[in-house]
Structures are given as C-alpha cells and as structure tokens.
Amino acid sequence: MEALLGSHIALRNQRRLQTAMRSARLPTVKTLGDFDFAFQPSIKRDQLDSLHTLRFLERKENVVFLGPPGVGKTHLAISLAVAAAESGRRVYYATLADLITWLEDAQQAGHLTRRLRTLVFPSLMVVDEIGYLPISRTGAQLFFQLMSRRYEHASTVLTSNKSFEEWGDIFGDEVMAAALIDRLLHHCHIVNIRGNSYRMREHRALASRLVAAPAP
C-alpha cells in the first residue's frame, strides 16, 4: 500500500508539473543540473544555487542574465522557471518580441488592461532575448507598463545580450529605458556571463577533429 500510494503521488505530481509547464509556455525543460559550469567559469555556482532556493520569489526580487549569445542565459532562466513550477508557483515564459506582440494585439482589441492584469499574476515571469530584435516605440511603452505593474509585486527573470547602457537603443527612448532599469535593479540579482557559445563548442570540436585527422 505504501509503494502504491507513493507511485500515485509521484504520478499526480508529474502530471501537475506537466500541466504547469504547458501553461508557462516554456519552449523546453532545462535544469540547473544539466548546466555545464566547467564550460562557463565566469558564473558563480553558489550564486545560482542560492537563486534556485527561490527565496528571491518570496522577496519579489528580479534576476537579470547578461552575456553574448549562446552562453547559457536562456538555460539558466528556464531552470529557475522549472524550479518555480515544481514548487507549485505559477510561471510564464515569453521572448520580448512575442510578449510585445501579445500586448499590442490586446491593445488593438481593446482589452489591454485585462491582458496586463493577467501578466502581473504569475509569481515568476521570464522575458527572454531582450536586444535580439528591434521593437516599436509603442511596444516599448507597453513593456514598460507591464514591468511597472510587476514592480515589487512579482519577480521577473530577464535575459539580454546587451549591456544596460545599450537598452536605450533597444527601447528607442533613453529616459524610459533608464526608468525601466531603475525599477528592475531596485531589487535585483545580476548574473553577468562572459564566455564562449555552447552552440559553437560542437563546431569547434568537429573542426579540431578534422584538422587532427590524417589525410586519406
């Protein structure tokens, strides 16, 4: 009976997690255990371990991952989302481009207020790929409204390949970017990743093997 009850609880928890993952719109499942810290020595393992205790959610703090493409920003952001979902918290994931499109569609349909209210509710929101694609001024203003509403009400994890000094160019307004950064950094953990791309690692390894291979 004990084993049967344990299996039933495990199955129920797994189904609940799968439902939470679908609701969160996570593109994939990544965990901290899957991350190769040896390849990115600039990252402090104890800082990531501390973030994965999720105490920052209780304090309504934010997390910002900065670094060039391919260094693991999205992996670590998603791993926090997975940990939050496993703990029973509501999570939402979107790239900045998709999020702004969703907000602009809601504005045109006349239910922006309802959409903003919905997006304030998740305990953890992941906004991925800030700086990868250009955004409109209207989109930047809508994103600022959302972040202002979430400020000190819920935690947001953001990833960007641009430094904060470049966010004025991303959002097309230096003053608005400064106000946004001010809100984000008021209660924030910054993880600055300096290293090589994971995705390019396999290509470099293949190139090395080809160079080392004897000619036929």
Side-chain angles (χ1 to χ4, degrees):
M1 285 296 293
E2 241 180 82
L4 182 62
L5 181 60
S7 298
H8 178 71
I9 292 173
L11 180 60
R12 185 180 62 185
N13 289 340
Q14 184 181 12
R15 286 176 177 170
R16 185 187 68 181
L17 181 59
Q18 289 173 346
T19 301
M21 295 301 180
R22 287 194 297 270
S23 176
R25 303 188 179 195
L26 291 175
T28 185
V29 174
K30 301 284 188 180
T31 67
L32 187 63
D34 299 329
F35 192 79
D36 186 359
F37 283 91
F39 190 72
Q40 299 296 9
S42 67
I43 299 177
K44 298 177 181 178
R45 177 62 186 265
D46 55 350
Q47 182 184 22
L48 270 297
D49 287 338
S50 176
L51 287 173
H52 280 76
T53 64
L54 303 180
R55 285 193 291 269
F56 77 95
L57 293 180
E58 299 165 8
R59 297 189 293 262
K60 310 296 189 297
E61 296 169 344
N62 303 315
V63 180
V64 180
F65 292 99
L66 299 175
V71 295
K73 302 184 300 297
T74 298
H75 182 136
L76 293 172
I78 289 177
S79 72
L80 287 173
V82 170
E86 288 177 334
S87 72
R89 292 173 170 90
R90 184 168 179 179
V91 175
Y92 184 83
Y93 168 94
T95 64
L96 177 63
D98 288 343
L99 180 61
I100 286 177
T101 297
W102 202 34
L103 290 171
E104 288 176 334
D105 289 345
Q107 185 180 49
Q108 291 174 5
H111 52 258
L112 176 62
T113 300
R114 188 170 70 224
R115 184 64 52 85
L116 287 171
R117 193 182 305 121
T118 299
L119 292 173
V120 170
F121 183 72
S123 298
L124 177 63
M125 171 179 283
V126 176
V127 182
D128 201 9
E129 298 181 356
I130 295 176
Y132 284 80
L133 294 173
I135 59 176
S136 66
R137 182 174 179 79
T138 299
Q141 292 170 344
L142 293 173
F143 181 65
F144 178 78
Q145 287 185 54
L146 174 60
M147 290 298 99
S148 294
R149 292 192 179 213
R150 288 184 61 82
Y151 173 60
E152 294 189 330
H153 285 89
S155 296
T156 306
V157 174
L158 306 98
T159 76
S160 179
N161 65 329
K162 304 292 187 182
S163 66
F164 291 124
E165 290 78 8
E166 299 173 277
W167 282 30
D169 295 331
I170 296 171
F171 294 101
D173 187 320
E174 295 286 348
V175 175
M176 183 170 59
L180 173 63
I181 293 169
D182 182 63
R183 285 163 173 77
L184 289 175
L185 299 190
H186 186 203
H187 309 290
C188 187
H189 304 267
I190 300 175
V191 182
N192 203 340
I193 307 175
R194 299 176 301 278
N196 297 316
S197 168
Y198 280 105
R199 291 185 283 273
M200 293 301 295
R201 176 175 58 177
E202 295 181 2
H203 297 291
R204 285 196 297 270
L206 176 60
S208 299
R209 288 197 299 271
L210 290 174
V211 170

